[in-house]
Amino acid sequence: MSQAAGRQSIFITGAASGMGRETARLFHEKGWFVGAFDVNPAGLAALQAELGAVNCIIQTLDVSDKSQFDAAVATFGAATGGRMDILFNNAGIIMRGFFDEMSFEDQLKIINVNLIGVLNGTHAALPLLKDTPNALCFNTSSSSATMGMPLIAVYSASKHAVKGLTEALSNEFRRFDIRCADALPGLIRTGMTSDEFLAKAPDQGPFRLIEAVEVAKVVWASYHSEQLHWYIPEDLAGLDKAAGDNPELLRDKLGRHMEV
C-alpha cells in the first residue's frame, strides 16, 4: 500500500511558508495526504514535523528546473499510488522597482519562477492528473493580473500569463476530466509582503490586508466548484470589470500611487 493509503492528495509548490503552508495545514485537517515542495528545506522540515511524516512528503524543489519538477512528481506519485487530486502551482517571487532600473537577470528570475514554473508543473503532473478522476489544476495568479501595475511590471505580466493559461486549459483539459482554476489574491500577509506595505494597508476596500489562510480556503472551495477565477477578497473582481470598461481611467488611477 502507498504512503497515502488511499487518501486524496494535493501537490503544493511554495509550501514552506505563506499561502502554501496554510493550504498544507488545511488539507491535512481535511484528511488529505500532502506533498509539500519548496526551495526552503528548513521550512519544509518544520511543516513535516507539524503534520507528521505519515501524512506528507517533503522535497526541495526549484520550480524553474523541469528536471527537478519531474523528480518531485515521481516521488509524489510513488507515495500516492499514482494519484494527484490537486496540483497547486503556488510558488512565486516578486521584486519591486521601475522596469528600467531592474536588472534583466532579475526580470528573468520572475518569469522563470512565476510562469515557467507553472508550465513545468503542469507538464510534469499531467499524467497523474489524467489518472485521477475529477482532478484540479489550481494556479496562483494575482490581483495584478487584472491590470498591468506599475513598479511590478514583469511580475504583473507573469501573472497575466498564468491567468490566461488557466483560462485556456480550463477548456482544453475537459478532455481529461481535469478542471482548472486560479486565485487572484490582493494584499496577503506572507513573507513576500514587506513591513512597509503591511503598515500602509488600508482597513477596508479591495486592498485590505488578508490572512494567508483565506487563500487556503479558496483552494478547498475550488475543488468543490466549477468556478474559474477566485478573487481574494471577492471585491477585487471589480478591478477586472474596471480594466475592461475603462482601462485608461484605471491606468491613471494606478499611476498616481507610484512609490518604490
Side-chain angles (χ1 to χ4, degrees), residues 96-99 101 150-151 194 196-197 200 257-260:
R96 290 178 53 82
F98 290 110
F99 178 88
E101 296 177 358
L151 299 175
S194 68
E196 178 186 3
F197 264 75
K200 291 181 178 180
H257 301 284
M258 287 195 300
E259 296 178 8
V260 179

Side-chain angles (χ1 to χ4, degrees), residues 121-174:
T122 306
H123 275 286
L126 193 52
L128 294 187
L129 294 172
K130 285 181 178 179
D131 287 342
T132 308
N134 196 38
L136 171 67
C137 177
F138 193 86
N139 302 319
T140 297
S141 182
S142 167
S143 58
S144 69
T146 58
M147 180 75 180
M149 295 189 179
L151 299 175
I152 52 170
V154 176
Y155 175 84
S156 183
S158 73
K159 294 303 185 177
H160 271 79
V162 169
K163 184 183 180 210
L165 179 69
T166 303
E167 291 169 348
L169 294 185
S170 69
N171 270 316
E172 289 191 20
F173 284 1
R174 286 178 175 176

Side-chain angles (χ1 to χ4, degrees), residues 28-177:
H28 166 65
E29 292 172 3
K30 300 291 188 180
W32 283 46
F33 183 79
V34 174
F37 303 87
D38 202 291
V39 293
N40 178 2
L44 290 175
L47 178 63
Q48 186 180 54
E50 178 183 342
L51 303 186
V54 71
N55 298 314
C56 66
I57 59 167
I58 61 171
Q59 187 168 315
T60 55
L61 169 62
D62 174 358
V63 297
S64 68
D65 186 322
K66 179 62 161 56
S67 62
Q68 285 192 31
F69 224 130
D70 289 340
V73 167
T75 299
F76 182 85
T80 64
R83 182 185 191 112
M84 184 185 291
D85 294 275
I86 300 178
L87 167 66
F88 185 18
N89 283 311
N90 171 65
I93 59 173
I94 187 170
M95 301 181 203
R96 290 178 53 82
F98 290 110
F99 178 88
D100 56 293
E101 296 177 358
M102 184 180 295
S103 73
F104 184 66
E105 290 73 21
D106 281 345
Q107 292 173 345
L108 280 183
K109 287 179 185 177
I110 294 170
I111 295 298
N112 284 333
V113 173
N114 294 0
L115 175 57
I116 302 303
V118 173
L119 292 175
N120 286 340
T122 306
H123 275 286
L126 193 52
L128 294 187
L129 294 172
K130 285 181 178 179
D131 287 342
T132 308
N134 196 38
L136 171 67
C137 177
F138 193 86
N139 302 319
T140 297
S141 182
S142 167
S143 58
S144 69
T146 58
M147 180 75 180
M149 295 189 179
L151 299 175
I152 52 170
V154 176
Y155 175 84
S156 183
S158 73
K159 294 303 185 177
H160 271 79
V162 169
K163 184 183 180 210
L165 179 69
T166 303
E167 291 169 348
L169 294 185
S170 69
N171 270 316
E172 289 191 20
F173 284 1
R174 286 178 175 176
R175 294 155 36 234
F176 312 124
D177 189 30

Side-chain angles (χ1 to χ4, degrees), residues 190-202:
T190 72
M192 291 174 61
T193 309
S194 68
D195 292 339
E196 178 186 3
F197 264 75
L198 293 177
K200 291 181 178 180

